[in-house]
Amino acid sequence: MPITVTYTDAIAVLDLGDDENRFSLGALDDIEGLLDDVVSSGAGGLVTTGTGKFYSNGLDLDWLLSHGDQMESYVGRVHALFARVLTCPMPTAAALNGHAFGAGAMLAMAHDFRVMRADRGFFCFPEVDIRIPFTPGMAALIQAKLTPAAAVASMTTGRRFGGGEALHFGIVDATAAEGSVVDDAVASLAPLGGKDPGTRGAIKQTMYGPAITALAT
């Protein structure tokens, strides 16, 4: 299933696909292009989601194993995607239909809000278990959004959070039934449209300045 955008009223819903939705180079190209379209459309909000078992499993580790010489440029593109969503000039929400792991979970953190399926799926930063330390940019992004206690609980343990646990720690803002995750995310953004996008984008640039700087280096 290709990466697609549909619209519910004024809210753009970007579906990352129906597999593990890892950030392959092709997927990054598609997401970047669709984000261009969404911003230029003047949409009142952006929801990202997946179809099926996964929201996103993050980095394309198989590709990286055979293209280690391109790691710096590849990670730079992923960082740029995080920064773009973090500073998006419209309200944003991640509708976590399934597993969000590693950089997939970081993409969710870059949104203003997160709604997670209550009954199935895990939110996890597995870096400590797969022996891949967070880049300074990734760490800054996560720590910009989580309390210190939640950051320790999620970043240093590899813990897999179900919906209820993620809500308890403030990792997500709400949980929903399987069939309501996207609808609830869209509903959460609907009242937030109509504000000047330039002002909103400038506010986010200021709010997340240290994280944006870290993601750019």
Side-chain angles (χ1 to χ4, degrees):
M1 174 180 170
I3 301 171
T4 60
V5 168
T6 57
Y7 286 82
T8 299
D9 296 326
I11 307 300
V13 179
L14 191 157
D15 192 316
L16 297 168
D18 60 359
D19 54 20
E20 291 190 15
N21 303 334
R22 291 184 181 270
F23 302 145
S24 68
L25 294 180
L28 289 170
D29 287 341
D30 290 345
I31 293 168
E32 291 163 1
L34 289 171
L35 288 177
D36 287 341
D37 294 342
V38 169
V39 172
S40 65
S41 77
L46 170 68
V47 170
T48 66
T49 192
T51 297
K53 186 176 180 181
F54 297 93
Y55 172 75
S56 173
N57 259 356
L59 299 182
D60 189 348
L61 296 177
D62 290 339
W63 182 87
L64 272 177
L65 284 173
S66 57
H67 297 83
D69 60 320
Q70 299 181 51
M71 178 177 291
E72 184 175 347
S73 62
Y74 172 75
V75 172
R77 285 193 65 182
V78 175
H79 279 188
L81 174 62
F82 295 160
R84 183 170 189 182
V85 175
L86 188 64
T87 59
C88 188
M90 63 187 69
T92 61
L96 304 179
N97 57 291
H99 300 312
F101 273 64
M106 294 172 209
L107 176 63
M109 295 307 305
H111 292 68
D112 298 327
F113 308 103
R114 284 153 295 285
V115 179
M116 184 173 178
R117 182 173 166 180
D119 60 331
R120 294 187 67 182
F122 292 112
F123 187 104
C124 178
F125 297 124
E127 280 73 10
V128 70
D129 291 322
I130 61 176
R131 300 182 180 183
I132 300 178
F134 296 96
T135 66
M138 292 173 176
L141 165 63
I142 298 166
Q143 289 174 281
K145 292 302 187 83
L146 296 182
T147 66
V152 170
S154 60
M155 296 175 71
T156 68
T157 66
R159 179 174 176 176
R160 299 183 178 195
F161 295 86
E165 292 177 314
L167 182 63
H168 172 75
F169 276 89
I171 294 170
V172 300
D173 301 280
T175 58
E178 176 185 3
S180 301
V181 177
V182 172
D183 289 344
D184 285 9
V186 168
S188 72
L189 299 186
L192 304 178
K195 303 184 189 301
D196 178 65
T199 303
R200 193 196 308 266
I203 289 171
K204 290 184 181 182
Q205 289 278 350
T206 303
M207 285 177 66
Y208 303 120
I212 295 163
T213 298
L215 286 166
T217 57

